[in-house]
């Protein structure tokens, strides 16, 4: 059972006819759909997801000019669920997302701090990347005026290129430091706790790099690996090598040697793709050189002035 599809069907078959009938004057100015926080919004829900904050639900989004109608729309939605209870009703926990009636601007402001989408680099940096993933996931079931979809389309164009270049540079530095440099040094010192930290940071940076190369927002860490495997550019390859690294998790020389090979293979794939995208021309295997080249392409003076390893 997929919560997004179930919600779409309930909206089309039960909610929309009632909404048209009860609010004929503003129905053409409303939008409806399901997006934001929750595994079902990414299409990743399974039987484990159903223990809390899962089930059929949908947002109603209004224009700013119709915000005074939100209370009556909220009452309508509550009554609809009472009179026509969904087969799989969503029960919200104390920490679950609130799927409600709100204006388009309120929805986007709650996630990324900009009601109509960011317009400057500073505005793009105000929210974590996972919030951009939540602002663009799920599906829009209906959008009469197109206002909600207009902002969604803007966000789907991805971050400004200078932000992407800066983040790619930082990930190059992190991958080089953790995987290509410190993995072997920490292992030789037999510092097993730090080794786990090194592998964790390398894995996180590799996943982030794959999303950056695809110009796709990385979701919340719990779903990042699952989403990674579907990316067209190096998604499957990155996922395969990270799984091999995770499986070679022992502390003996055989596992160490295997991890070293997988780390270098993955870094070589990243270097090749960076060259293909015109972000680097370096033939070096050490990713630091590629990070420095990506930095040199940044046009924004402030971003270009930051250290290459600095995360934004």
């Amino acid at each position: 059972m997929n919560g997004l599809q179930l919600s779409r069907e309930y909206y089309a078959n039960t909610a929309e006819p009632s909404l048209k009938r009860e609010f004929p004057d503003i129905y053409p100015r409303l939008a409806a759909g399901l997006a934001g926080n929750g595994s079902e919004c990414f299409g990743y829900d399974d039987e484990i997801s159903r223990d809390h904050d899962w089930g059929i639900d949908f947002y109603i989004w209004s224009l700013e000019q119709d915000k005074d109608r939100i209370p009556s729309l909220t009452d309508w939605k509550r009554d609809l669920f009472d009179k026509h209870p969904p087969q799989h009703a969503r029960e919200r926990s104390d920490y679950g997302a609130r799927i409600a009636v709100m204006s388009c601007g309120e929805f986007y402001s709650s996630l990324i701090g900009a009601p109509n989408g960011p317009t400057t680099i500073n505005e793009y940096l105000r929210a974590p990347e996972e919030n951009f993933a939540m602002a663009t996931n799920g599906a829009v079931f209906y959008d009469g005026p197109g206002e909600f979809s207009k902002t969604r389309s803007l966000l789907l164009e991805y971050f400004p290129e200078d932000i992407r270049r800066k983040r790619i540079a930082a990930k190059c530095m992190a991958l080089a430091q953790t995987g290509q440099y410190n993995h072997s040094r920490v292992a030789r010192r037999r510092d097993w706790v730090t080794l786990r930290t090194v592998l964790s940071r390398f894995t996180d940076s590799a996943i982030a790099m794959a999303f950056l190369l695809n110009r796709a927002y990385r979701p919340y860490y719990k779903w990042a690996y699952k989403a990674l495997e579907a990316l067209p550019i190096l998604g499957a390859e990155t996922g395969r090598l990270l799984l091999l690294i995770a499986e070679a998790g022992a502390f003996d020389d055989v596992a160490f040697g295997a991890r070293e090979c997988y780390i270098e293979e993955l870094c070589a794939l990243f270097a090749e793709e960076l060259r293909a995208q015109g972000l680097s021309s370096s033939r070096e295997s050490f990713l630091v050189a590629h990070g420095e080249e990506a930095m040199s392409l940044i046009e924004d003076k402030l971003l270009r002035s930051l250290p290459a390893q600095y995360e934004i």
Side-chain angles (χ1 to χ4, degrees):
M1 292 183 291
N2 180 278
L4 182 60
Q5 184 58 34
L6 291 172
S7 296
R8 184 195 294 272
E9 292 171 358
Y10 180 86
Y11 173 79
N13 298 330
T14 304
E16 188 170 54
S18 174
L19 187 62
K20 287 181 179 179
R21 185 173 58 251
E22 297 296 326
F23 298 91
D25 59 329
I26 63 169
Y27 171 76
R29 300 196 299 272
L30 297 175
L34 182 61
N37 193 5
S39 56
E40 69 275 16
C41 296
F42 287 102
Y44 299 153
D45 48 319
D46 54 23
E47 62 277 3
I48 298 175
S49 307
R50 298 168 198 159
D51 64 342
H52 71 94
D53 297 297
W54 180 89
I56 292 171
D57 209 341
F58 57 87
Y59 282 97
I60 295 292
W61 295 295
S62 76
L63 298 178
E64 289 299 311
Q65 69 192 66
D66 295 318
K67 285 183 68 173
D68 62 319
R69 305 294 292 277
I70 288 177
S72 57
L73 285 163
T74 300
D75 291 341
W76 162 82
K77 185 184 174 189
R78 183 186 60 249
D79 292 343
L80 179 76
F81 275 67
D82 288 341
K83 294 175 182 176
H84 306 280
Q87 181 182 3
H88 303 283
R90 186 178 190 275
E91 296 184 7
R92 180 173 177 259
S93 71
D94 292 339
Y95 303 101
R98 174 175 162 264
I99 299 176
V101 181
M102 60 179 63
S103 71
C104 301
E106 286 173 330
F107 176 82
Y108 289 115
S109 291
S110 69
L111 288 172
I112 59 173
N116 300 308
T119 58
T120 66
I121 285 178
N122 283 342
E123 288 180 349
Y124 272 99
L125 296 178
R126 287 177 182 171
E129 183 177 1
E130 65 192 54
N131 283 33
F132 285 88
M134 289 190 288
T136 54
N137 66 9
V140 179
F141 305 156
Y142 166 75
D143 190 352
E147 190 71 21
F148 185 86
S149 298
K150 179 181 177 182
T151 303
R152 183 180 175 92
S153 296
L154 170 69
L155 296 177
L156 286 170
E157 293 178 3
Y158 199 57
F159 295 120
E161 186 63 6
D162 272 357
I163 291 179
R164 188 174 85 104
R165 290 166 179 160
K166 180 67 195 75
R167 289 179 171 171
I168 283 174
K171 294 310 173 187
C172 282
M173 300 303 175
L175 289 164
Q177 182 193 54
T178 56
Q180 294 179 295
Y181 180 73
N182 273 326
H183 172 254
S184 62
R185 297 171 70 86
V186 170
R188 290 202 307 270
R189 291 189 176 108
R190 304 181 68 80
D191 183 350
W192 307 134
V193 173
T194 305
L195 178 63
R196 292 300 188 200
T197 302
V198 164
L199 292 173
S200 176
R201 291 192 174 191
F202 178 85
T203 298
D204 185 72
S205 295
I207 292 173
M209 178 66 90
F211 277 92
L212 287 161
L213 293 173
N214 280 272
R215 294 179 173 84
Y217 298 121
R218 178 175 57 160
Y220 176 59
Y221 74 89
K222 184 172 70 172
W223 299 118
Y225 180 74
K226 186 174 182 65
L228 164 74
E229 296 179 296
L231 295 176
I233 300 173
L234 295 183
E237 296 93 330
T238 302
R240 175 182 65 84
L241 288 166
L242 289 179
L243 179 59
L244 289 171
I245 290 170
E247 289 175 338
F251 301 137
D252 58 84
D253 291 342
V254 173
F256 167 75
R259 288 195 302 270
E260 286 280 279
C261 290
Y262 301 143
I263 286 169
E264 285 305 323
E265 182 179 351
L266 183 52
C267 289
L269 288 173
F270 286 149
E272 182 180 359
E273 183 59 31
L274 289 168
R275 287 189 290 267
Q277 293 193 19
L279 293 165
S280 175
S281 60
S282 174
R283 307 307 301 184
E284 293 285 337
S285 59
F286 197 42
L287 286 181
V288 165
H290 300 274
E292 290 172 345
E293 289 217 14
M295 282 293 299
S296 72
L297 299 174
I298 295 173
E299 296 178 358
D300 182 85
K301 291 182 179 179
L302 177 59
L303 293 184
R304 190 168 180 165
S305 71
L306 298 174
Q309 68 272 21
Y310 190 88
E311 300 273 359
I312 61 169

